[in-house]
Structures are given as structure tokens and as C-alpha cells.
Amino acid sequence: MKHRFSAGVCLLLSSTITHAADLPSRKGAPDFTAPPATFLWSGPYAGVNIGYGFGQRSGFEGVLGGGQLGYNLQATPLLVLGLETDFQGADISERSGNPFAARRRVEWFGTVRGRVGVTPLAAPALFYGTGGFAYGRTQPNVSGGDVRTGWTAGGGIEWAFRPDLSAKIEYLYTDLSDDAGGWWSSALRTRFHTVRAGLNYHFDLFAQTPIVAKF
């Protein structure tokens, strides 16, 4: 009789343990999110900018604003190559109290530039140098103006604060003096500095999404 009772108890305990193991856990399954993918700068972009221009002569200054189009290629995790063109409306001129006095003025200008930049692995920032072709309409005197060509060079920093938006600060030195070549050449050269802030929209930038793994 004792043996039958012991066998029944063992059978009951075994069945209880088996059913308990089959019950779902009350704790939710933990989710594991992999670190986000490294930011990639590859792709086209378009944006706007506004800034300030000034020359080596005192009183030669003014505002400017316009837009830019470009394309970046992430050649390596640290190296970014790009090409950008921009067009600026400007009112950079010599401020004179005499309205009839001859004064130098930049009415508009544009550039076509290459860009070479480096980007830290841990941050969506791009530090770059840039340079290339420049053109613009200058007015050396009150009789009229003409379109000149030249070159430009500078650098900047760009920060991607969203997957599709980045902000930048950029400096350029521009020299429009294609027709300089005589004793009068120094009077026809137009050289100026610009500092501008811009906002770019990136098309399909940072296409990767974090991988979510469940256990």
C-alpha cells in the first residue's frame, strides 16, 4: 500500500513540473537593438544659404544669399569626395557718401567646386576643403558692369542633425579678375571674402536602419 501511494505522489509531481515548464513566461522577451549604422554622406543634395561678404578695402561689404546643388561620394569610412555648384545674389559694394562717385560692386556670382572632406567615425560631421571655378557680375564703376570669371577656394564644416538634413558653415575667398593684364588691371580686379551658413536636404541619405533582434 505504501509503495502504491509513493508511486502516485511521484507521478503527480512529475506531471505538475511538466505543465509548469510549458507555461509562458510572464516576463516580456528582451529586445536587442544593434548600434545605428555609421552615417554615410553619399548621394545628391540641395539647399539654401545666407551670408556676408567683405573685401580687403575698408567699406567694401554687404549681404548675399542663394542656393546650392551637389553630390557626395563616401569613398572610404573617413574620406568624402564631392562636387558642388551654387549661385548667389549679392549686394557687396563700397559704401560711399557720394552717390555719383564710382564704386565697386558685386551684383551676383556663382561657383563650381570640388570638395574633399574627412568625417569622424563616431559623429555625423564633415570637415572639408573646397575650390574651383568662379564667375560673377561686377560693377567697377557707374557706367556699367560685366561678367568676369576667376577662381575660389575655402573650407567648412557640415553637421547632419537629421537623416535628411544637414547644416553648414563655410568660408570662401573669390577672385574675379579674368581680364586683368595691363597697368589698369589692379582697378578691375574684384576680390572678396564670404562667410555663409547653409541648410542642405539630402536625398536618401543614411539609408541603413538599425537591426532589431529578438531573443
Side-chain angles (χ1 to χ4, degrees), residues 37-119:
T38 302
F39 291 125
L40 293 178
W41 291 88
S42 291
Y45 62 89
V48 294
N49 68 79
I50 189 170
Y52 173 75
F54 57 96
Q56 297 177 347
R57 294 184 179 183
S58 177
F60 184 56
E61 59 185 353
V63 298
L64 58 101
Q68 63 270 354
L69 295 171
Y71 187 89
N72 289 322
L73 174 64
Q74 185 98 38
T76 73
L78 294 177
L79 179 64
V80 177
L81 305 177
L83 181 66
E84 180 175 295
T85 181
D86 69 279
F87 185 85
Q88 310 292 134
D91 183 19
I92 306 173
S93 60
E94 292 178 334
R95 309 302 177 183
S96 174
N98 183 359
F100 300 102
R103 65 173 188 166
R104 189 183 307 272
R105 181 182 180 187
V106 178
E107 298 179 349
W108 54 261
F109 69 97
T111 71
V112 180
R113 296 172 283 110
R115 301 205 312 173
V116 178
V118 294
T119 177

Side-chain angles (χ1 to χ4, degrees), residues 170-181:
E170 184 177 77
Y171 162 80
L172 290 178
Y173 173 79
T174 304
D175 184 343
L176 300 176
S177 56
D178 62 333
D179 56 352

Side-chain angles (χ1 to χ4, degrees), residues 121-155:
L121 293 176
L126 178 65
F127 300 85
Y128 64 90
T130 182
F133 174 74
Y135 60 96
R137 180 177 175 85
T138 65
Q139 186 173 330
N141 51 60
V142 295
S143 63
D146 56 7
V147 177
R148 303 176 187 273
T149 59
W151 60 274
T152 186

Side-chain angles (χ1 to χ4, degrees), residues 162-174:
R162 273 184 34 173
D164 56 351
L165 290 176
S166 66
K168 71 173 183 177
I169 298 178
E170 184 177 77
Y171 162 80
L172 290 178
Y173 173 79
T174 304

